[in-house]
Each structure stands twice: as C-alpha cells, then as structure tokens.
Amino acid sequence: MLTIEALTKVYKQGDDHIFAVNKASFTVQKGEFVALVGQSGSGKTTLLNMIGCIDRPTSGRVLLEEKDLTAMEDEALARMRRRRIGHVYQDFRLLEMLTAEENIRMPCLLDNRPADEKRLRALAKLLGVDQRLRHLPRELSGGQRQRVAIARALINDPALLLADEPTGNLDRRSADDTMELLRTLNRQGCTILLVTHEERYADMCSRKIRMMDGCAAEA
C-alpha cells in the first residue's frame, strides 16, 4: 500500500546541509498499524509530512497505492491528499467558528462534493461524538476535539491515516481512549501510521520504525 524509497529532506543553513530525513526506506502493508518512534528532532514529523503530501522531499519517492506522489503536480497532489490520506494532529486543528459536524464535513467541501451522510453519522457514533455535533470546538473537551478531528480525517474513507502525536495534548485517560479508538479503527481495516514518543503506545502497534538522526530502521 505505501512504499518509501530513499526519502530525503535537506535544509541549507549557510554552507551547511542539514539532513532532517536521510534516505528513509520502508513499506506499510494494507491494514497495518505502524508506529514511527524516536526522540524529538529525529525527523518523525518531517517524514510524516512528506508522506502526507504537506512537504516535498529533496529526493526519493513516496508511492501510495502504486502512485508516485513525488512525481505529481500540485493540483493532483492536493486531490490525493484530500481523498486518499487522512491527517490527525496533536493540536487538533479544528476551525473554531465551525461546529463539530461542520469541521467533519470540511474535507468534502474542499473537494467540492457532498459528505456521505450515512458515513458521517456512523463515524460520529463510533467515535462517541454523535451527541456533540452541533457544538463548537471550545465547547468540547480535548478528547472530544480529537475524536472530531479523527472523524474529519476519515470522512473521505482514505487509504491511509497519518496520526502525528494524536495523544500529545490529552490527559492520560483521554490519550488512552484515543489510542484504543485508533486500534478499533485498525481492526476494522484502517491502515495507520502513528508518530508517537510514548513507547507504551508504540508497543500496541503491529510494527515499530525507529527514527534516529533522520534515518529510519525497523525497531
């Protein structure tokens, strides 16, 4: 499903070249739940952003469902990002002026097509926010906001869910609940790549890939 080939991101600082990610290579099979672990600054988020079409690599390739994302023009890449990749962030990134339901619908609106109403209701119920859909983000707890963010990431039925420290801004109980929800989604067939600094959460995944100094290796 996902193939990373010698993916590299280099930043220039004067005459120096900083390798944020250095020839990372690995695969993720359909239905896997893979943890990307490593210390702060090891390149985890940079790698995830390149996989998620948010940032372009200096070199290397990202293939999703046999399509080379690194070779796509901006418009095709944005379409792929909207339709086939779901993003969950540590800071939720909900639009504060929109209700929970409107936030969930946003990827469909950006893609100029209606949301699947049956899927929206089913996701809201599965994630436990079906009674909070008319509330604004400020009226929700941290755990509820993250559940809304997960529903938003899944509304277009993506091939791959990318979760960047989704438990980082939550209390212990909400973090555990969020991780259990991700495990439930994975058991239902969702392919997930999770960035986390929590080893106990990484241990719940089927595989671990460890980042160190921009390099990736099976843990």
Side-chain angles (χ1 to χ4, degrees):
M1 149 125 15
L2 176 67
T3 302
I4 308 302
E5 295 181 351
L7 204 61
T8 300
K9 184 67 176 183
V10 181
Y11 295 102
K12 290 184 178 180
Q13 291 185 354
D15 294 330
D16 295 329
H17 290 74
I18 309 299
F19 284 79
V21 177
N22 190 4
K23 296 184 178 179
S25 298
F26 59 90
T27 61
V28 176
Q29 302 300 320
K30 185 176 181 179
E32 280 197 296
F33 192 170
V34 179
L36 195 60
V37 298
Q39 295 181 347
S40 179
S42 61
K44 304 186 300 298
T45 295
T46 301
L47 177 57
L48 204 72
N49 286 343
M50 290 190 288
I51 295 171
C53 307
I54 294 173
D55 195 7
R56 285 191 179 270
T58 303
S59 61
R61 298 202 301 167
V62 178
L63 290 91
L64 179 63
E65 298 178 316
E66 300 184 352
K67 296 180 178 67
D68 186 354
L69 304 186
T70 50
M72 289 183 177
E73 298 294 333
D74 288 346
E75 185 175 341
L77 197 64
R79 186 164 55 249
M80 178 66 73
R81 184 170 60 240
R82 290 193 303 266
R83 297 181 179 180
R84 304 306 294 151
I85 303 172
H87 295 265
V88 181
Y89 303 97
Q90 178 176 342
D91 57 358
F92 320 129
R93 300 195 186 182
L94 300 178
L95 296 176
E96 294 295 329
M97 73 292 296
L98 300 183
T99 65
E101 181 174 344
E102 290 167 337
N103 269 283
I104 294 171
R105 291 179 184 276
M106 186 53 62
C108 303
L109 296 175
L110 292 174
D111 206 27
N112 198 29
R113 54 181 178 171
D116 182 328
E117 296 298 325
K118 186 176 180 179
R119 180 171 178 79
L120 191 155
R121 302 300 166 188
L123 282 171
K125 185 174 182 179
L126 173 65
L127 295 167
V129 293
D130 50 320
Q131 302 300 313
R132 311 292 288 175
L133 290 177
R134 295 187 178 183
H135 291 257
L136 295 170
R138 65 174 178 271
E139 299 171 324
L140 304 175
S141 69
Q144 289 169 338
R145 278 178 280 171
Q146 192 59 286
R147 288 165 184 250
V148 170
I150 293 171
R152 179 186 59 190
L154 294 174
I155 190 62
N156 277 335
D157 193 19
L160 177 66
L161 181 65
L162 302 178
D164 189 2
E165 298 281 8
T167 62
N169 277 348
L170 303 177
D171 60 69
R172 181 65 171 266
R173 181 176 178 179
S174 296
D176 287 349
D177 287 347
T178 296
M179 189 64 193
E180 190 54 45
L181 280 170
L182 292 175
R183 294 179 71 190
T184 297
L185 292 167
N186 176 247
R187 287 192 290 267
Q188 294 180 350
C190 185
T191 305
I192 304 174
L193 183 57
L194 168 75
V195 166
T196 182
H197 66 276
E198 290 273 3
E199 288 290 342
R200 68 190 188 91
Y201 292 149
D203 288 340
M204 296 178 185
C205 301
S206 53
R207 285 170 53 210
K208 288 193 286 186
I209 295 171
R210 190 169 298 279
M211 295 287 295
M212 183 177 293
D213 297 329
C215 299
E218 293 283 343

